[in-house]
Amino acid sequence: MMTKDTAERIKRLKDEVRVLGRNPNDYCYDLNAQNAYRIEHTKLGSYAFMLINDKAGGIEARVDLDDFYTLRLYSYRWVRSHSDPRKDYPHTNIPDRTGKKFNLQLHALIMNAVPGKVIDHNDGDHYNASRSNLNHVTIAQNNRNRHPRLVLSKKSPKVTRTEYVSLFA
């Protein structure tokens, strides 16, 4: 039997999803962490899309379904930062052994961050945290891969566009 409090929390989560222009029936809801997520099976693999909602709007973070369940990613409250778009990664705040909270980024949790290495997103999308998109690299390799390169258009040399060039794809 569903309590009144549980029904209100589900209604609030569905309203948040609806405000973002998505169908609330496509999502599952974790009431402990107050998260919404959806599961998608494709020919390339099975993924979980965790909805990260905030004042500026919502975005979905993509993770492999195996990692989603193995690492219990559904049990964390994921948020995003807005101070610098280059550092806008999904993260959560969790307590350490002493009880002090620290910031844990989604890709670092998935890849078991190694001291002296950073984690590079092959496609440059900070919200694509599937293992096939993540690599351990040195800081120098990550810096080379950070900035998009300008590509001249063949039709008009004045018009340019940016293209993300991955080191590992």
Side-chain angles (χ1 to χ4, degrees):
M1 182 173 165
M2 188 180 302
T3 65
K4 184 177 179 181
D5 181 48
T6 303
E8 288 175 3
R9 291 195 315 196
I10 289 175
K11 183 181 182 306
R12 186 171 41 82
L13 283 171
K14 286 186 175 184
D15 288 343
E16 287 179 9
V17 171
R18 197 174 289 112
V19 165
L20 297 172
R22 294 179 168 87
N23 184 357
N25 296 330
D26 292 343
Y27 287 84
C28 301
Y29 301 95
D30 182 278
L31 296 179
N32 293 329
Q34 299 181 5
N35 285 334
Y37 59 90
R38 66 182 175 89
I39 307 296
E40 189 174 294
H41 302 282
T42 66
K43 292 180 181 178
L44 300 175
S46 296
Y47 301 100
F49 291 86
M50 301 182 300
L51 187 65
I52 301 171
N53 192 8
D54 61 3
K55 294 175 185 173
I59 192 165
E60 289 181 328
R62 179 176 119 171
V63 296
D64 294 326
L65 194 59
D66 294 339
D67 289 332
F68 182 71
Y69 288 118
T70 305
L71 300 172
R72 299 183 60 209
L73 298 176
Y74 54 84
S75 64
Y76 298 100
R77 179 71 172 162
W78 297 101
V79 295
R80 60 190 281 202
S81 58
H82 295 288
S83 59
D84 185 355
R86 293 176 297 168
K87 298 178 183 177
D88 187 20
Y89 293 96
H91 68 273
T92 188
N93 293 314
I94 61 172
D96 62 7
R97 293 179 189 161
T98 63
K100 183 180 176 185
K101 290 193 175 189
F102 70 97
N103 191 5
L104 179 64
Q105 294 178 337
L106 177 62
H107 61 275
L109 177 63
I110 290 172
M111 291 296 288
N112 288 329
V114 177
K117 295 273 189 169
V118 294
I119 298 168
D120 180 51
H121 293 75
N122 291 340
D123 63 359
D125 181 6
H126 298 179
Y127 289 89
N128 182 359
S130 58
R131 281 189 188 266
S132 62
N133 188 45
L134 302 174
N135 288 309
H136 287 283
V137 296
T138 64
I139 293 172
Q141 288 172 323
N142 196 41
N143 287 339
R144 277 187 297 228
N145 200 16
R146 177 180 293 172
H147 303 288
R149 307 222 169 93
L150 290 178
V151 178
L152 294 175
S153 172
K154 292 180 180 177
K155 293 180 180 178
S156 171
K158 294 180 183 178
V159 179
T160 60
R161 64 182 168 85
T162 58
E163 180 179 276
Y164 190 84
V165 181
S166 175
L167 295 173
F168 303 100

